[in-house]
Amino acid sequence: MKKLTLLLVGFLLTLNLFSQDFDEDFGTGLKFDENMYETVPQSVPLVTRSYTALPSSYSLKPYAPTPKSQGRQGSCVGWASAYGARTIAYAIKNNWKNQTSRITANAFSPAFVYNQIRVNNQCQGAYIESAMKLLNNTGAAKLSEFPYTDQSCVTTPNSYVKSKAQSNRILTYERLAKWSNPYNLVGKVKKAISSKKPVVIGLFKYNRLIVNSENVWIPNSGSKGHAMVVVGYDDNKAGGAFEIMNSWGTRFGRGGFLWIKYSDFERQVKTAYVLVDKNNNDYININNNNNNNNNNNNNNITTVTNKVGGELTLKLSNGNNMPVSLADGAKRNFNIVKATKTTYKVSQTYSSGTQFRIYLKSKQRGYVYLIGYGSSDKSVNKLYPFANYSDYFSYTNSEIALPNEDYFIEFDNNPGRDILCVLYSKEKLNINDIVSKVRYGNGDFVSKVKKALSSKMFKGADVKFSNDKIAFNASSTNSTAKVVPIFIEMNHQ
């Protein structure tokens, strides 16, 4: 009897593993290219403490559509980027939590993306970078507007379908780590997921997608590449694991999902991209003021308010903050293009060789830039973004360190009056064009920056500055108000 029981258990375990081996019946199709991956802007260099207060588990699964099958076609990139991540982001924006039928009915077409980016016009694979670029520039069509079939990938969308897709363009996309040194990839993916941003990944050099009885992937090596979507994580699952949405239908794993341990994820996930959807609530507040005593529609007033806020700290290599004070007349001269006064002044003078970092916080999602000016040689340089980091600050209540936590900015051997200019913007700026205008224009540094931004700046009356720290809040009913420039004067000897 015991022998029969053992044989039966062994049979069930074998059956369980075999039932999850779908590799022979379904396609993959992910293509990898290190150089292509490195051209994608990397997410901002958040400080370590931005990752320490994350919840122990988080899930975007309530916003996911029902997993469907890519069949034998090598279209996993289209499924992961469009049907998976784009649909999840769309459901989050519309607050369709736990409305699976509605979400699935509004899911985006994998064929719309894949059929336009397939490599060498073959139905055998694509790059995630190409998919993200398409979602950013062209958008995405609904599956109901552009159906999928694994029998062909040659049909391309017509002009009408493309016009429908335009309204579903994503705001931006970023890679989360470097190819050769994916430092803290697990923490970065957890940060993105807990901030309600789906992550498209590339599982690299594996052979089979087999899971154990806990629906956790059994790692193995091989030559395959497969694109999937991270929908959640749990620090207590198998010692810490990510939940992944696949594109092999609901018979795979448990309802189409599986788990990958953090350790296996770090070893075999080579590329990870965060998709950032447009979300007007991050930028515009609309207030409807209705006169309840009067039914005249003319008394219904809609006010559009642009808001932006931020904070900046200058910290020496010994850990002490550089003391700062609000400059006299900073607000009064804020919009005067020819005004030479800075916004803040560092109270102490520092010698050449002094090292410091800049820590930036943003209260809203938006774009951040940093320009440096040296009075001794009149040099103007873009200090951030650098090294292909993103200019987009997608995380609120988080902090970035410039240049990063491993390096410092150092005063050079040219004593004089240096100025740091930080630009907080609600829209993407052509920072290289701005730097060029400032570098080669006429006038002083502060005036030239103001001139380059004059049509986009918040008015001084709309900005409130802190007196004893570099911080501000701006609010305007003018829709053209986009940028707040902060000028910080520093003296070194």
Side-chain angles (χ1 to χ4, degrees), residues 414-441:
N414 299 309
R417 175 177 176 262
D418 295 341
I419 300 175
L420 291 174
C421 174
V422 184
L423 304 178
Y424 285 88
S425 179
K426 293 166 61 64
E427 70 177 17
K428 188 177 183 66
L429 301 177
N430 187 336
I431 189 61
N432 292 327
D433 181 61
I434 292 171
V435 168
S436 180
K437 289 179 178 178
V438 174
R439 183 178 291 159
Y440 301 111

Side-chain angles (χ1 to χ4, degrees), residues 199-459:
V199 177
V200 179
I201 61 167
L203 189 62
F204 186 60
K205 289 188 176 179
Y206 81 101
N207 183 37
R208 303 166 72 191
L209 276 184
I210 303 177
V211 298
N212 62 20
S213 59
E214 297 298 318
N215 201 35
V216 177
W217 180 54
I218 301 172
N220 51 79
S221 60
S223 60
K224 294 181 181 178
H226 190 38
M228 296 181 286
V229 187
V230 182
V231 299
Y233 69 87
D234 189 340
D235 292 343
N236 298 312
K237 175 77 173 182
F242 289 109
E243 188 167 23
I244 312 294
M245 177 179 171
N246 196 12
S247 52
W248 292 353
T250 55
R251 289 180 57 241
F252 171 81
R254 291 184 183 170
F257 298 85
L258 75 155
W259 291 83
I260 298 179
K261 291 182 181 180
Y262 293 158
S263 56
D264 299 327
F265 189 93
E266 285 186 323
R267 185 179 60 256
Q268 288 188 252
V269 170
K270 198 67 178 177
T271 55
Y273 312 75
V274 61
L275 181 153
V276 183
D277 198 6
K278 295 179 180 179
N279 189 343
N280 289 334
N281 292 331
D282 289 325
Y283 299 95
I284 299 174
N285 294 323
I286 300 178
N287 302 312
N288 293 309
N289 301 316
N290 298 321
N291 187 341
N292 294 327
N293 297 322
N294 193 323
N295 293 324
N296 190 334
N297 289 333
N298 291 329
N299 290 323
N300 295 335
I301 302 172
T302 301
T303 302
V304 179
T305 304
N306 288 325
K307 291 185 177 182
V308 63
E311 184 175 332
L312 184 150
T313 303
L314 305 175
K315 191 179 291 289
L316 295 166
S317 57
N318 62 12
N320 294 329
N321 290 346
M322 291 182 176
V324 298
S325 60
L326 186 66
D328 294 335
K331 186 171 183 178
R332 184 173 62 253
N333 295 300
F334 188 78
N335 298 105
I336 302 175
V337 172
K338 292 185 179 181
T340 62
K341 289 187 175 181
T342 57
T343 320
Y344 288 91
K345 290 185 177 181
V346 176
S347 305
Q348 296 181 8
T349 299
Y350 296 93
S351 60
S352 297
T354 300
Q355 297 178 333
F356 67 97
R357 287 196 191 101
I358 302 169
Y359 292 87
L360 291 171
K361 293 181 181 179
S362 181
K363 292 186 177 181
Q364 286 84 30
R365 301 199 311 179
Y367 299 85
V368 179
Y369 306 90
L370 182 65
I371 305 172
Y373 169 76
S375 62
S376 61
D377 56 1
K378 301 187 183 305
S379 61
V380 177
N381 296 292
K382 180 185 72 173
L383 302 180
Y384 188 83
F386 68 95
N388 206 26
Y389 277 109
S390 174
D391 56 359
Y392 187 66
F393 203 121
S394 62
Y395 299 114
T396 58
N397 300 317
S398 294
E399 191 173 17
I400 63 175
L402 302 179
N404 57 42
E405 290 185 300
D406 295 322
Y407 293 92
F408 292 96
I409 299 171
E410 183 175 276
F411 284 110
D412 60 22
N413 294 319
N414 299 309
R417 175 177 176 262
D418 295 341
I419 300 175
L420 291 174
C421 174
V422 184
L423 304 178
Y424 285 88
S425 179
K426 293 166 61 64
E427 70 177 17
K428 188 177 183 66
L429 301 177
N430 187 336
I431 189 61
N432 292 327
D433 181 61
I434 292 171
V435 168
S436 180
K437 289 179 178 178
V438 174
R439 183 178 291 159
Y440 301 111
N442 296 318
D444 67 278
F445 174 73
V446 174
S447 299
K448 287 187 290 186
V449 172
K450 288 181 178 181
K451 183 178 180 180
L453 299 171
S454 59
S455 63
K456 302 182 179 199
M457 284 174 55
F458 278 80
K459 302 298 182 183

Side-chain angles (χ1 to χ4, degrees), residues 38-63:
E38 292 289 346
T39 62
V40 177
Q42 184 175 338
S43 57
V44 295
L46 294 177
V47 298
T48 302
R49 57 179 171 271
S50 295
Y51 301 101
T52 57
L54 298 178
S56 61
S57 64
Y58 204 92
S59 180
L60 301 180
K61 198 173 180 179
Y63 299 99

Side-chain angles (χ1 to χ4, degrees), residues 28 49 56 103 105 117 136 338 409 430 436 480 487 493:
T28 53
R49 57 179 171 271
S56 61
I103 295 168
I117 65 170
N136 191 209
K338 292 185 179 181
I409 299 171
N430 187 336
S436 180
T480 63
F487 299 94
Q493 60 187 10

